[in-house]
Amino acid sequence: MTRVYGTGTYDFRRHRVAEYPVELKAVELSQKPGGGGVISSTITLSEIQRDRITKIAEENWLKTSEETAKKPFDSELVRKMYETELLVKEGQKPVPLQRVMILEVSQYLENYLWPNFDPKSATFEHVMSMVLMINEKFRENVAAWGCFYDRKDIFKGFLERVLRLKEGRELSIAEKTNYLVFMINAFQSLEDEVVSMTVLRLASLKSWYSLSYGRFQMELCLNPGLVKKWKRMVRKEASKGGQHLDPSTTTEVMFLRNLIEEFMEILNSEVFPQIQLSGEDDELIDASGLGLANDACILYCERFMEFLIDLLSQLPTRRYLRPLVADVAVVAKCHLSTLYRHEKGKLFAQLVDLLQFYEGFEINDHTGTQLTDHEVLESHYSRLQSFQLLVFKKMDKLRELALTNIGSIHKRADLSKKLSGLPIEELRDLVCCKLKLVSKEDPWSERVDFLIEVMVSFFEKQQSQKEAINALPLYPNEQIMWDESVVPSINYSGEGCLALPKLNLQFLTLHDYLLRNFNLFRLESTYEIREDIQEAVPHLLAYINNDGETAFRGWSRMGVPIKEFKISEVKQPNIGEVKPSSVTAKVTFSISSYRAQIRSEWNALKEHDVLFLLSIRPSFEPLSAAEEGKASVPQKLGLQYVRGCEIIEICDEEGTLMNDFSGKIKRDEWKPPKGDLRTVTVALDTAQYHMDVTNIAEKGGEDVYGTFNVLMRRKPKENNFKAILESIRDLMNEYCIVPKWLENIFLGYGDPSAAQWTNMPDLLETVDFKDTFIDADNLKASFVDYEVSFVNPDGTENLNPRPPFKIKLPRMLKGSGGALNGSTVSTAGAVNGISMIDGNHQKERLIIETYTPPDPGPYPQDQPKQNSVRFTSTQVEAIISGIQPGLTMVVGPPGTGKTDTAVQILNVLYHNCPSQRTLIITHSNQALNDLFEKIMQRDVPARYLLRLGQGEQELATDLDFSRQGRVNAMLVRRLELLSEVERLARSLQLPEDVGYTCETAGYFWLLHVYSRWEQFLAACAENKDKPSFVRDRFPFKEFFSDTPHPIFKGESFEIDMRAAMGCFHHLKTMFQELEECRAFELLKSTADRANYLMTKQAKIVAMTCTHAALKRKDFLQLGFKYDNLLMEESAQILEIETFIPMLLQRQEDGHARLKRCILIGDHHQLPPVVKNMAFQKYSHMDQSLFTRFVRLGIPYIELNAQGRARPSIAKLYNWRYRDLGDLPYVKEAAVFHKANAGFAYDYQLVDVPEYLGKGETTPSPWFYQNEGEAEYIVSVYIYMRLLGYPANKISILTTYNGQKLLIRDIINRRCVPHDFIGPPSKVATVDKFQGQQNDFILLSLVRTRFVGHLRDVRRLVVAMSRARLGLYVFCRRSLFEQCYELQPTFQLLLKRPDQLALNMSEITSYTERDVEDPGPRHHIHLVSGIEEMSSIIDRLYQERLTHQFVQNGSYFSHSAPSLNSDEVQSRKQTVATGTPEQAEDMDIPHESEETEKVDNHVAVNQPESNVEDVTMVDSSAHISNQSSMP
């Protein structure tokens, strides 16, 4: 197979860029349920078909750059398109995906179907075509309802038409499925007002008209409050509808009922069309019925289950629809259907079980409160008790059942057995008439098995959710790992559905929230573990040796053969449990075959690391090609069992403990490990062990624990899933407490602004803003709606106000409308209606108190650090909201100073609430370090700051903020302070031993220092008229004799008194610090000191969200407490990882202590990373809590001035925000006014045509590359380096991993060998580069056939907002200009030429040209393509060479290597170096310390910033390059 650089033959699995189906001739991927599979049609054929649609599109609706007259709207064309392109006649798929994608991208909906839609006259095909286009938008995860908002009334009309679409028309099964998918999408979009108004009518009380009479009576008896509501509704209907309108015929009433009946019809007679079921003889159908199943009908049934699950898992729809689902007994009928037991119905069966779970969910539907375990049990018992009473009175045949104890009838088997003795008539009478569980009219009520199923499922004891979760093993096993309907493989395309919970806007209860997140997080980690196993096992080359045992020929970095495995201890179960309380085992393995680097990785294993035990038994004969095709992954690998375990301890060959952190081995006794054998003591999962042992005992299964022969480890960074799952499980077992003020909002109910500070109790009345405002003008600009007046502390007016300021905040603060509802986000850059006060209105007064802060002390270190940022009015609004109690949400577009705002909130909070503690959480270590470095420049003492986790090593400060570092700092500080106390004692002629300990120093303060000060104050009070009194009588004059300036002038009593106060403040702080050090004197062990520091001393504690989840148990044990939570990058943190940090402390008297929650993020940039596409697309697992809050309409403040990029570049993305402007700095600074030398424009889209006859290629599935763009981009990079641009100011970005590796390869070949070019600062994917920036960005968009995942506007915003001074986008113009979602950006880009415009007169990186001026026309050269760019850089290079030669003599006398891409042999022979995983992590060599100045003549006319031309050359790059050079 031809190698393409950056990929091995099998690399693609590691680069999980999941995408939509790609046509592949060679690679056939398995058609899995819900997997979507691959469309196998050759590219040539699809190109021809594509031409057909494209031609029609161009004639009728496509908006191209050259405007041609379009044909008028033709409904016949819509019908023809629907029937020829969109309608599926047979087969499993409901839509021809490729055709739909092409039509949708051509803007068929936006430009043709919607503008010409009329609710009255539109045809069925027209409505159905729109339904398909909207479904496709949902499948692609792009905004679906955006284009409808220009005509809201007609949008309503469209939705009404959809609801009535089935009237008088029989739909095909594919159409029914598409219709259902549309309804699913509509019910998942309840934040959209028009959609929710229309679809929630279907879930109103009115739908109860369709209940059977018995069920209707029962529901009203159970909910007496609804009787009034029902009567009111009936009266209203009567007055509205006139005479004889039968309400049960209206759409709202019958919609769901009709859908359910249609589903039942399909389930019973169309899934297996050949067989008419009679109820008794369906045992005949087992796997032999395989050929009979209708796949399209199965997909419909699965989708219908998904639809019902969605309805029952949101409170607004669940409330009135659950009785409907119960009335028709959907779950019981599904349990009895053939499909439920058929092997093709595995996914269907899982969905039915999920539906059953939600139908019986532990919640009061009408109040929305969660039922406790006790309440659930009580209602179960009372239900059974009343049933027994009824039977006792009315049914003699069941007398035994009536008199027996509850324990013997609430199990399924016992109850069925007792009921099966009844004749069918009596049973039917019991179920339909006495208990009214189903209607007598239901044809199913003739079946005994159905009646018993309904009874049993109503009366049996359900396992509580807590029990279910506690019985679940936390580690995945081989059965769940390769179950495609639960953990789908990478090729999930969004066409089928899955047996997974979804994260949407609302949750039923906190328990439901945790449960869904637990399941999804568990499955996402299962997917990653599965990938690691598939990577590690093949390298071991397992085979069967002559003794019939498994042996290994190869070796694997992450997996090692086990020498011996034995279970060492199984402890008795805890009271009330059946599983053992702990199971430990010993595993012995040898690391003799590894080289030093990998040995050290195995030796680094430590307590709490998770390992996996694998049992591998390959087949004796290698699998034939046919078998290989059919075999599952475990069969191919010979994998029998997988079990997880956690390390307790690890010992070397002599049994000595390694990596012990518990203190058993003292530091000085530590020795390096001996020998090659290692023995690990591990804790096995007790729940899994219990299941395995039960399986052996009851079913005679194999003893799993006797078969393990491989031990596998994982990368430590990716292996923290168990701790997080444990944290979630612990939360589910606690009575889980979110603060009361946050709970409803958190679940998605109630008033969205309820937690805003203006609606909270206990506000801070007066806030001291310290250094927030630079001057009085800064303050006035922040409160433009008020008439600001400044007063002194005594109430007199201050005409010359200077900061600091104290403000008494009115409860209803008028602002810039920053706190706007999340759901009214502008999509087209229009500024939303913000209520401004009209000019004639009398402005309210805002009184600002100015005061002179006390003298901080006479030494330079006493002076507080001051803020230098001039905050905008929106930033001030965010700061005010952040320091008040409640929920604050701040949206920070790129470059708007999110971190500065966050730091100022922390600073003001610390000074206004000194006793409160704040927890800072971020997603990445980088962001945490940025935040920390800025806090250090504010007036918060370093002793109150603490940084937990692994990232503190990277902090660019001299101080160590880890726990250990802070403890050491406190001990050093203690000694410094005690020596100061001794000096003070000497100056007062007292014995020096008062400075022996912190305790003696404390007594010294009281007896000698404070008493002297009080005497001094008393004397001063009587001698205020003597100017030199303070100077003469100050008691500590000698101690302060070493200050840089004399303290007292002796000219004014007031001035000297202020200075004396400053000196006393210095002393007071000194003794206060000593008091804080006292604990470290008393506590002797390092661990105790560190814990004291964390739980008592530190006021601001910072960590990443992962660390918080990992260490939650420890925090609770230590009694960690905090009042405020500030979360940066919160739109990039998984929902559950945002939730856990809110609960790192125990409650106090049943109340949560948390007072403030400040979330800062940007939902218009990329969401959290979820590696498996199915969890991302189907379950919305990549939705952050921040984004969900915005969708719920919770008010947020959006920062509105950016200070990163040139205003012209900012225009490419600021349309996405409400009204994002520019800070004065980017308009005024010289660097933003100068053009980019050598380029005519500061940003440009460069159209890259086919290169060597190719556009995008996929060497392996979902692994996209585009050689033309890669070569072009590297050529432009070389051109910039030859002009003298510093390498560290240029980054190359791309949207796909495949392209990233390809570009790195070309750089290794064309740039690294030349010292004066070298690699750029970074070559990365857009996703990885989020949160970073650089001066110049070269961006490759790769795709030439479908837009792919750049259609996610969030990715576009990130890509466009990384550059400060220059952005050059390389892509296929014709593809991207058509994409509806990306229009605002691409319209701007296309106003400039689409060929790279160079200014050939500039040959250095310095120019005086203005950025608006491209230069004289004869200097501008439009580059025709890649070949011409190569010749330009060759010419420039030759000029540079002669220039250097003249300057440096024989510096370049050896033959110079060429930089031209064509002169290097064809790329086909280039082989990627290093494994794919190394390639993932290997960022091109970082800045080396040495900077080489090569282009001497360039430096002459360059401004200072560019003089140091940094070229980064790394020896490793040279080495790797040797292997890849031809």
Side-chain angles (χ1 to χ4, degrees), residues 1009-1026 1029-1030 1033-1035 1053 1057 1060-1061:
V1009 182
Y1010 195 63
S1011 58
R1012 279 176 168 74
W1013 174 250
E1014 284 185 317
Q1015 288 165 3
F1016 168 68
L1017 282 183
C1020 285
E1022 294 162 13
N1023 294 286
K1024 283 186 179 172
D1025 49 347
K1026 300 178 184 166
F1029 184 82
V1030 175
R1033 295 289 298 276
F1034 184 62
F1053 178 86
M1057 192 61 199
M1061 289 290 210

Side-chain angles (χ1 to χ4, degrees), residues 215-233:
R215 170 70 63 169
F216 177 67
Q217 284 177 309
M218 183 163 83
E219 289 296 331
L220 286 183
C221 288
L222 289 172
N223 303 293
L226 287 178
V227 179
K228 275 184 186 169
K229 197 172 177 184
W230 178 264
K231 285 179 178 165
R232 225 179 17 249
M233 188 190 77

Side-chain angles (χ1 to χ4, degrees), residues 157-311:
F158 163 66
L159 292 170
E160 294 291 341
R161 272 299 303 270
V162 173
L163 298 187
R164 295 193 167 77
L165 197 60
K166 293 187 173 184
E167 289 173 9
R169 183 180 179 111
E170 186 54 41
L171 274 61
S172 70
I173 190 71
E175 287 173 328
K176 284 177 181 169
T177 307
N178 292 327
Y179 184 79
L180 201 52
V181 171
F182 179 83
M183 292 315 297
I184 289 170
N185 292 333
F187 276 105
Q188 291 278 306
S189 308
L190 294 182
E191 79 271 28
D192 188 290
E193 50 175 345
V194 181
V195 178
S196 67
M197 270 166 53
T198 312
V199 300
L200 283 181
R201 286 200 343 250
L202 306 175
S204 66
L205 185 56
K206 222 187 222 183
S207 60
W208 281 17
Y209 273 118
S210 64
L211 289 177
S212 64
Y213 187 61
R215 170 70 63 169
F216 177 67
Q217 284 177 309
M218 183 163 83
E219 289 296 331
L220 286 183
C221 288
L222 289 172
N223 303 293
L226 287 178
V227 179
K228 275 184 186 169
K229 197 172 177 184
W230 178 264
K231 285 179 178 165
R232 225 179 17 249
M233 188 190 77
V234 173
R235 277 203 303 276
K236 206 168 165 188
E237 288 295 316
S239 63
K240 202 164 57 179
Q243 300 305 310
H244 306 291
L245 183 70
D246 178 8
S248 62
T249 55
T250 58
T251 315
E252 291 101 283
V253 174
M254 293 311 293
F255 185 81
L256 193 69
R257 186 86 186 200
N258 290 342
L259 270 181
I260 292 177
E261 281 165 8
E262 178 183 271
F263 158 72
M264 283 301 162
E265 176 65 26
I266 289 172
L267 179 65
N268 295 328
S269 55
E270 291 182 32
V271 175
F272 299 101
Q274 279 82 343
I275 298 166
Q276 280 302 314
L277 296 182
S278 62
E280 265 63 59
D281 57 9
D282 54 351
E283 274 70 38
L284 300 173
I285 307 158
D286 45 43
S288 61
L290 193 66
L292 308 169
N294 179 336
D295 286 342
C297 291
I298 293 177
L299 180 66
Y300 173 84
C301 293
E302 290 166 353
R303 281 291 195 187
F304 193 79
M305 284 296 103
E306 178 194 349
F307 176 57
L308 288 185
I309 290 165
D310 282 357
L311 292 180

Side-chain angles (χ1 to χ4, degrees), residues 961-1087:
F961 284 95
S962 66
R963 268 191 279 195
Q964 191 53 55
R966 288 290 84 206
V967 169
N968 292 342
M970 289 301 279
L971 296 173
V972 169
R973 182 72 181 141
R974 171 180 166 271
L975 295 175
E976 286 172 7
L977 290 166
L978 288 175
S979 67
E980 282 289 280
V981 170
E982 286 174 5
R983 189 166 75 82
L984 178 60
R986 272 202 305 276
S987 74
L988 297 173
Q989 276 91 43
L990 292 165
E992 287 182 22
D993 60 358
V994 293
Y996 181 58
T997 64
C998 297
E999 189 178 6
T1000 53
Y1003 295 134
F1004 171 63
W1005 158 257
L1006 276 174
L1007 290 172
H1008 297 288
V1009 182
Y1010 195 63
S1011 58
R1012 279 176 168 74
W1013 174 250
E1014 284 185 317
Q1015 288 165 3
F1016 168 68
L1017 282 183
C1020 285
E1022 294 162 13
N1023 294 286
K1024 283 186 179 172
D1025 49 347
K1026 300 178 184 166
S1028 61
F1029 184 82
V1030 175
R1031 185 184 62 187
D1032 301 341
R1033 295 289 298 276
F1034 184 62
F1036 311 112
K1037 210 163 26 179
E1038 193 181 329
F1039 178 77
F1040 288 108
S1041 59
D1042 60 346
T1043 54
H1045 307 288
I1047 304 172
F1048 303 116
K1049 303 270 194 313
E1051 293 162 6
S1052 151
F1053 178 86
E1054 281 75 21
I1055 293 173
D1056 281 2
M1057 192 61 199
R1058 177 174 151 78
M1061 289 290 210
C1063 294
F1064 181 69
H1065 182 266
H1066 175 88
L1067 290 174
K1068 194 173 165 187
T1069 310
M1070 194 168 93
F1071 282 97
Q1072 188 185 338
E1073 274 191 66
L1074 272 171
E1075 185 55 39
E1076 287 170 7
C1077 291
R1078 190 171 166 192
F1080 297 91
E1081 207 169 66
L1082 299 171
L1083 298 167
K1084 290 292 179 260
S1085 84
T1086 315

Side-chain angles (χ1 to χ4, degrees), residues 570-575 577-583 684 686:
V570 179
K571 284 194 176 168
Q572 291 284 333
N574 294 330
I575 293 172
E577 290 185 355
V578 287
K579 61 181 187 190
S581 56
S582 79
V583 181
L684 298 171
T686 54

Side-chain angles (χ1 to χ4, degrees), residues 12 70 105 226 231 335 362 370 376 490 622 663 667 703 708 809 981 1103 1126 1224 1248 1345-1346 1448 1477 1479 1500:
F12 74 91
K70 303 289 180 227
V105 168
L226 287 178
K231 285 179 178 165
H335 277 153
E362 302 160 357
Q370 183 175 335
V376 173
I490 192 169
R667 282 208 166 163
D703 176 12
F708 295 132
L809 294 170
V981 170
M1103 65 188 89
L1126 182 138
V1248 183
R1345 298 190 53 253
F1346 284 117
N1448 300 356
E1477 48 200 300
V1500 181

